[in-house]
Amino acid sequence: QVISWNTQREGEHFFLSPKAVWDGQAAVRGGVPICFPQFNQRGPLVKHGFARNLPWALESSEQNADGVQAVFLLRDDEQTRACWSHAFEARLIVQLSPGQLRMTLDLHNTGADAWSFTGALHSYLRVNDIEQLRLEGLDGLARWDAVRDLHDTQNGAITFDGEYDSVFAPATRPMTLRDANGASPLTVEHSPNWGNVVVWNPGAKLCAQLKDMPENGYRSMLCVEAACVDEAVTLQPGARWSGWQQLSES
């Protein structure tokens, strides 16, 4: 799990809760948790699947003239097969270059049977003030407002004045996060095969109920997630799927 992306120009780009749990049993609140093979509670598994709760192995790392890359591997074992009986390899490919971070989730069905998944790169972006924040680039897209259980179409930039939890159709253009206090815009891009964009902020009331969040933590974060929520992706034996999220200083 990527927990920090710090650049010379803007400093830290990811939110990481000071009350995050590091016991190896619970998900770490911040950075970019990997939701796989289930998004949220849309299935029989633990919320957001098991991948974010398990240790991944460093498979390779390299440095070249363009930047650095590290590849982390999670594969099925006795623990995963006890709750999800499928053979798989999941790789997180982290690529760093000046002012830019790309994270790719690469999935491989290594078994003899087809399986399906939903999931996400659940990025917690650090912001200066959620109430002054604008997220651009989702205008005109279909949206499900999970807070009010309302289906509509996004009109203009997104602003925040309370709990926000929405699932959008896939982004057709780059998104731009415009923060307060003179921060430079952050560009967020997703590969087209992510079926949805999820935007989430718990707001004051829900944040107060989260034991691993400080009381005012909601003011300093926004999740903009590359996700497959509405439709599960099915991988036949031997098949692969790969989807990325890229963050760039503007």
Side-chain angles (χ1 to χ4, degrees), residues 1 55-63 69-76 88-94 104-108 110 240:
Q1 177 173 335
W56 295 51
L58 177 63
E59 185 177 51
S60 66
S61 62
E62 61 180 275
Q63 183 172 352
Q69 173 178 293
V71 180
F72 300 90
L73 172 66
L74 176 70
R75 54 164 53 105
D76 64 284
F88 71 93
E89 289 182 345
R91 286 175 173 83
L92 177 66
I93 304 165
V94 181
T104 303
L105 180 62
D106 182 84
L107 303 173
H108 183 198
T110 58
R240 303 187 81 113

Side-chain angles (χ1 to χ4, degrees), residues 234-250:
T234 299
L235 288 186
Q236 298 298 324
R240 303 187 81 113
W241 180 94
S242 185
W244 53 261
Q245 180 183 68
Q246 181 169 287
L247 308 174
S248 308
E249 292 181 332
S250 303

Side-chain angles (χ1 to χ4, degrees), residues 176-196:
T176 303
L177 199 67
R178 300 193 185 277
D179 205 349
N181 300 333
S184 298
L186 183 70
T187 299
V188 183
E189 298 175 83
H190 296 168
S191 58
N193 54 346
W194 288 107
N196 299 101

Side-chain angles (χ1 to χ4, degrees), residues 103-242:
M103 298 163 290
T104 303
L105 180 62
D106 182 84
L107 303 173
H108 183 198
N109 183 346
T110 58
D113 301 309
W115 47 258
S116 299
F117 74 92
T118 54
L121 295 174
H122 197 309
S123 300
Y124 284 76
L125 302 177
R126 186 191 65 80
V127 304
N128 290 317
D129 185 354
I130 190 65
E131 294 181 356
Q132 299 185 54
L133 191 71
R134 291 167 56 88
L135 178 61
E136 302 171 353
L138 298 173
D139 185 42
L141 295 184
R143 177 182 79 131
W144 174 51
D145 179 346
V147 177
R148 297 180 294 166
D149 193 17
L150 175 68
H151 291 267
D152 60 13
T153 300
Q154 178 61 32
N155 182 20
I158 301 172
T159 56
F160 306 89
D161 59 0
E163 182 182 356
Y164 191 96
D165 189 358
S166 290
V167 179
F168 292 85
T172 56
R173 56 187 180 272
M175 294 165 277
T176 303
L177 199 67
R178 300 193 185 277
D179 205 349
N181 300 333
S184 298
L186 183 70
T187 299
V188 183
E189 298 175 83
H190 296 168
S191 58
N193 54 346
W194 288 107
N196 299 101
V197 177
V198 177
V199 180
W200 179 68
N201 181 277
K205 184 177 180 180
L206 179 57
C207 185
Q209 300 172 22
L210 300 174
K211 295 180 179 180
D212 58 354
M213 282 281 281
E215 182 178 356
N216 291 321
Y218 75 96
R219 299 186 66 93
S220 303
M221 52 76 62
L222 180 70
C223 288
V224 182
E225 308 166 37
C228 290
V229 178
D230 290 336
E231 294 186 15
V233 177
T234 299
L235 288 186
Q236 298 298 324
R240 303 187 81 113
W241 180 94
S242 185

